[in-house]
Amino acid sequence: WFLSMLFVEPGEQARGLGKALMDRLLPRDRDGRVLSTCTDAAQPISNGLYAALGMVPRMPIFNLIGRPRRGWAPEPLPGGVTVARVEPAADGLLDAAHQAELDGFDRSIMGFAHPEDHAYDLRERPWLFAYRDASGQLVGYGYTSEVGRIGPIAVTDPELQGPVLGHLLTAVEPRGASAVWLPGAADGAYRTALGAGLRIEGFPTLLCYDRPFGDFTRYVPTSPGLI
């Protein structure tokens, strides 16, 4: 369960409208559900409202923007790991076999499959790469695009985050800058992005949830609005 947006006109704030809206929106049956949202770090009132409902700020997510500086080379993929682009089918979606593989991969890392998100990502970031070990087993995937947006990225080993991001930064030359949203736990990806010359843009958003889910040492989201 993910809350995307909640706004109250400034002149109508502090009257309980936000809490009333949340009472209407929250699922009645919360068994087995995780309540989560992303908030602006500069919005303490909103953060207090969500925290009172159990969605406590747990992790910053930073937007990093730029292009690799001249002469920079990404860390190579580990020995035995190969990469190939996954082409969408004629309808623009993944074929059944690839979708089933990604669904199982996502469940192992995030705890749930999200095929609808992959359909969106393929439209917005059509360069999907699969990373496989010497046996052909999937060990990671990542999206990039000609407009520069990178993510999501998912890997079996946190040590793969940096090399995969480095590959995505150089695999496709965007028309402008590259941009990627990195959660605080993605330290390997941070080292790669900052080492390449990307810089943090603006204030962080805060990932809030009422109980842990997913493994953000191995997952980089599409954006704060699409975890």
Side-chain angles (χ1 to χ4, degrees):
W1 184 95
F2 184 82
L3 173 65
S4 181
M5 293 183 181
L6 173 65
F7 296 102
V8 176
E9 289 278 2
E12 302 297 329
Q13 292 175 3
R15 298 176 56 194
L17 293 179
K19 185 176 186 307
L21 287 169
M22 289 298 300
D23 288 342
R24 295 287 189 96
L25 292 170
L26 288 172
R28 299 301 174 212
D29 180 8
R30 301 190 193 178
D31 289 344
R33 296 178 185 266
V34 176
L35 303 184
S36 176
T37 190
C38 282
T39 65
D40 193 317
Q43 296 291 337
I45 294 175
S46 298
N47 294 330
L49 170 62
Y50 302 134
L53 297 169
M55 291 176 278
V56 178
R58 314 267 184 171
M59 186 186 306
I61 303 180
F62 289 92
N63 190 21
L64 282 84
I65 294 178
R67 286 296 299 155
R69 66 177 183 276
R70 186 182 300 275
W72 179 82
E75 179 184 356
L77 294 167
V81 175
T82 59
V83 56
R85 184 183 180 187
V86 179
E87 298 278 0
D91 59 2
L93 302 175
L94 294 172
D95 62 41
H98 279 116
Q99 187 62 66
E101 184 179 41
L102 289 188
D103 286 348
F105 198 78
D106 289 334
R107 289 190 189 96
S108 71
I109 293 173
M110 294 301 287
F112 58 90
H114 43 102
E116 299 86 352
D117 295 344
H118 284 290
Y120 171 83
D121 292 324
L122 276 174
R123 292 195 304 270
E124 297 294 313
R125 306 151 198 230
W127 289 80
L128 167 60
F129 290 96
Y131 304 83
R132 299 183 184 278
D133 64 16
S135 70
Q137 186 74 23
L138 186 69
V139 295
Y141 69 77
Y143 287 83
T144 187
S145 69
E146 287 88 350
V147 297
R149 297 189 183 97
I150 295 175
I153 299 169
V155 294
T156 54
D157 185 340
E159 294 301 316
L160 279 172
Q161 268 198 355
V164 167
L165 177 57
H167 171 257
L168 294 173
L169 281 168
T170 55
V172 177
E173 184 72 26
R175 295 190 289 270
S178 295
V180 60
W181 287 93
L182 295 181
D187 53 300
Y190 270 107
R191 289 195 298 270
T192 294
L194 293 173
L198 277 67
R199 292 293 177 262
I200 294 172
E201 180 82 1
F203 292 102
T205 60
L206 299 174
L207 178 58
C208 312
Y209 44 85
D210 65 341
R211 61 186 178 87
F213 73 98
D215 183 352
F216 290 94
T217 69
R218 299 188 292 154
Y219 187 79
V220 169
T222 303
S223 72
L226 199 61
I227 297 294

PDB file of all heavy atoms in Angstrom, residues 187-200:
ATOM      1  N   ASP A 187      25.012   2.461  -0.794  1.00  0.00           N
ATOM      2  CA  ASP A 187      26.303   3.131  -0.698  1.00  0.00           C
ATOM      3  C   ASP A 187      27.204   2.836  -1.892  1.00  0.00           C
ATOM      4  O   ASP A 187      27.963   3.707  -2.348  1.00  0.00           O
ATOM      5  CB  ASP A 187      26.996   2.787   0.615  1.00  0.00           C
ATOM      6  CG  ASP A 187      27.099   1.294   0.861  1.00  0.00           C
ATOM      7  OD1 ASP A 187      26.041   0.650   0.921  1.00  0.00           O
ATOM      8  OD2 ASP A 187      28.219   0.784   0.991  1.00  0.00           O
ATOM      9  N   GLY A 188      27.138   1.631  -2.452  1.00  0.00           N
ATOM     10  CA  GLY A 188      27.963   1.321  -3.613  1.00  0.00           C
ATOM     11  C   GLY A 188      27.591   2.167  -4.810  1.00  0.00           C
ATOM     12  O   GLY A 188      28.459   2.652  -5.544  1.00  0.00           O
ATOM     13  N   ALA A 189      26.300   2.365  -5.017  1.00  0.00           N
ATOM     14  CA  ALA A 189      25.851   3.203  -6.123  1.00  0.00           C
ATOM     15  C   ALA A 189      26.232   4.661  -5.885  1.00  0.00           C
ATOM     16  O   ALA A 189      26.567   5.389  -6.829  1.00  0.00           O
ATOM     17  CB  ALA A 189      24.336   3.063  -6.296  1.00  0.00           C
ATOM     18  N   TYR A 190      26.187   5.117  -4.622  1.00  0.00           N
ATOM     19  CA  TYR A 190      26.606   6.485  -4.300  1.00  0.00           C
ATOM     20  C   TYR A 190      28.065   6.715  -4.676  1.00  0.00           C
ATOM     21  O   TYR A 190      28.425   7.726  -5.285  1.00  0.00           O
ATOM     22  CB  TYR A 190      26.432   6.773  -2.801  1.00  0.00           C
ATOM     23  CG  TYR A 190      25.091   7.328  -2.432  1.00  0.00           C
ATOM     24  CD1 TYR A 190      24.160   6.551  -1.770  1.00  0.00           C
ATOM     25  CD2 TYR A 190      24.759   8.646  -2.737  1.00  0.00           C
ATOM     26  CE1 TYR A 190      22.920   7.054  -1.416  1.00  0.00           C
ATOM     27  CE2 TYR A 190      23.530   9.156  -2.391  1.00  0.00           C
ATOM     28  CZ  TYR A 190      22.612   8.353  -1.731  1.00  0.00           C
ATOM     29  OH  TYR A 190      21.390   8.853  -1.404  1.00  0.00           O
ATOM     30  N   ARG A 191      28.915   5.775  -4.309  1.00  0.00           N
ATOM     31  CA  ARG A 191      30.337   5.934  -4.602  1.00  0.00           C
ATOM     32  C   ARG A 191      30.563   6.038  -6.105  1.00  0.00           C
ATOM     33  O   ARG A 191      31.369   6.856  -6.569  1.00  0.00           O
ATOM     34  CB  ARG A 191      31.130   4.768  -4.011  1.00  0.00           C
ATOM     35  CG  ARG A 191      31.214   4.790  -2.491  1.00  0.00           C
ATOM     36  CD  ARG A 191      32.295   3.840  -1.999  1.00  0.00           C
ATOM     37  NE  ARG A 191      31.996   2.449  -2.364  1.00  0.00           N
ATOM     38  CZ  ARG A 191      31.298   1.613  -1.599  1.00  0.00           C
ATOM     39  NH1 ARG A 191      30.812   2.035  -0.433  1.00  0.00           N
ATOM     40  NH2 ARG A 191      31.081   0.384  -1.993  1.00  0.00           N
ATOM     41  N   THR A 192      29.847   5.235  -6.854  1.00  0.00           N
ATOM     42  CA  THR A 192      29.993   5.279  -8.308  1.00  0.00           C
ATOM     43  C   THR A 192      29.495   6.600  -8.869  1.00  0.00           C
ATOM     44  O   THR A 192      30.174   7.244  -9.676  1.00  0.00           O
ATOM     45  CB  THR A 192      29.229   4.111  -8.953  1.00  0.00           C
ATOM     46  OG1 THR A 192      29.852   2.877  -8.582  1.00  0.00           O
ATOM     47  CG2 THR A 192      29.219   4.224 -10.472  1.00  0.00           C
ATOM     48  N   ALA A 193      28.290   7.016  -8.455  1.00  0.00           N
ATOM     49  CA  ALA A 193      27.701   8.237  -9.002  1.00  0.00           C
ATOM     50  C   ALA A 193      28.550   9.458  -8.673  1.00  0.00           C
ATOM     51  O   ALA A 193      28.843  10.284  -9.545  1.00  0.00           O
ATOM     52  CB  ALA A 193      26.281   8.411  -8.471  1.00  0.00           C
ATOM     53  N   LEU A 194      28.955   9.593  -7.416  1.00  0.00           N
ATOM     54  CA  LEU A 194      29.746  10.763  -7.021  1.00  0.00           C
ATOM     55  C   LEU A 194      31.142  10.708  -7.633  1.00  0.00           C
ATOM     56  O   LEU A 194      31.704  11.736  -8.031  1.00  0.00           O
ATOM     57  CB  LEU A 194      29.828  10.838  -5.500  1.00  0.00           C
ATOM     58  CG  LEU A 194      28.502  11.126  -4.793  1.00  0.00           C
ATOM     59  CD1 LEU A 194      28.673  11.018  -3.278  1.00  0.00           C
ATOM     60  CD2 LEU A 194      27.952  12.495  -5.166  1.00  0.00           C
ATOM     61  N   GLY A 195      31.714   9.518  -7.728  1.00  0.00           N
ATOM     62  CA  GLY A 195      33.024   9.382  -8.348  1.00  0.00           C
ATOM     63  C   GLY A 195      33.003   9.729  -9.824  1.00  0.00           C
ATOM     64  O   GLY A 195      33.992  10.224 -10.375  1.00  0.00           O
ATOM     65  N   ALA A 196      31.861   9.478 -10.477  1.00  0.00           N
ATOM     66  CA  ALA A 196      31.732   9.798 -11.902  1.00  0.00           C
ATOM     67  C   ALA A 196      31.565  11.284 -12.134  1.00  0.00           C
ATOM     68  O   ALA A 196      31.807  11.773 -13.243  1.00  0.00           O
ATOM     69  CB  ALA A 196      30.550   9.042 -12.502  1.00  0.00           C
ATOM     70  N   GLY A 197      31.121  12.001 -11.111  1.00  0.00           N
ATOM     71  CA  GLY A 197      30.919  13.434 -11.265  1.00  0.00           C
ATOM     72  C   GLY A 197      29.494  13.900 -11.114  1.00  0.00           C
ATOM     73  O   GLY A 197      29.211  15.097 -11.260  1.00  0.00           O
ATOM     74  N   LEU A 198      28.534  12.984 -10.847  1.00  0.00           N
ATOM     75  CA  LEU A 198      27.168  13.400 -10.590  1.00  0.00           C
ATOM     76  C   LEU A 198      27.109  14.117  -9.242  1.00  0.00           C
ATOM     77  O   LEU A 198      27.923  13.854  -8.353  1.00  0.00           O
ATOM     78  CB  LEU A 198      26.216  12.206 -10.602  1.00  0.00           C
ATOM     79  CG  LEU A 198      25.709  11.740 -11.975  1.00  0.00           C
ATOM     80  CD1 LEU A 198      26.833  11.164 -12.816  1.00  0.00           C
ATOM     81  CD2 LEU A 198      24.591  10.696 -11.805  1.00  0.00           C
ATOM     82  N   ARG A 199      26.122  14.994  -9.096  1.00  0.00           N
ATOM     83  CA  ARG A 199      25.983  15.766  -7.873  1.00  0.00           C
ATOM     84  C   ARG A 199      24.558  15.674  -7.329  1.00  0.00           C
ATOM     85  O   ARG A 199      23.603  15.512  -8.087  1.00  0.00           O
ATOM     86  CB  ARG A 199      26.345  17.237  -8.120  1.00  0.00           C
ATOM     87  CG  ARG A 199      27.830  17.440  -8.431  1.00  0.00           C
ATOM     88  CD  ARG A 199      28.681  17.121  -7.216  1.00  0.00           C
ATOM     89  NE  ARG A 199      30.123  17.232  -7.466  1.00  0.00           N
ATOM     90  CZ  ARG A 199      30.922  16.211  -7.740  1.00  0.00           C
ATOM     91  NH1 ARG A 199      30.430  14.977  -7.812  1.00  0.00           N
ATOM     92  NH2 ARG A 199      32.218  16.403  -7.940  1.00  0.00           N
ATOM     93  N   ILE A 200      24.454  15.807  -6.013  1.00  0.00           N
ATOM     94  CA  ILE A 200      23.144  15.749  -5.365  1.00  0.00           C
ATOM     95  C   ILE A 200      22.359  17.010  -5.700  1.00  0.00           C
ATOM     96  O   ILE A 200      22.864  18.125  -5.575  1.00  0.00           O
ATOM     97  CB  ILE A 200      23.296  15.598  -3.845  1.00  0.00           C
ATOM     98  CG1 ILE A 200      23.927  14.234  -3.524  1.00  0.00           C
ATOM     99  CG2 ILE A 200      21.958  15.752  -3.144  1.00  0.00           C
ATOM    100  CD1 ILE A 200      24.296  14.060  -2.064  1.00  0.00           C
TER     101      ILE A 200
END
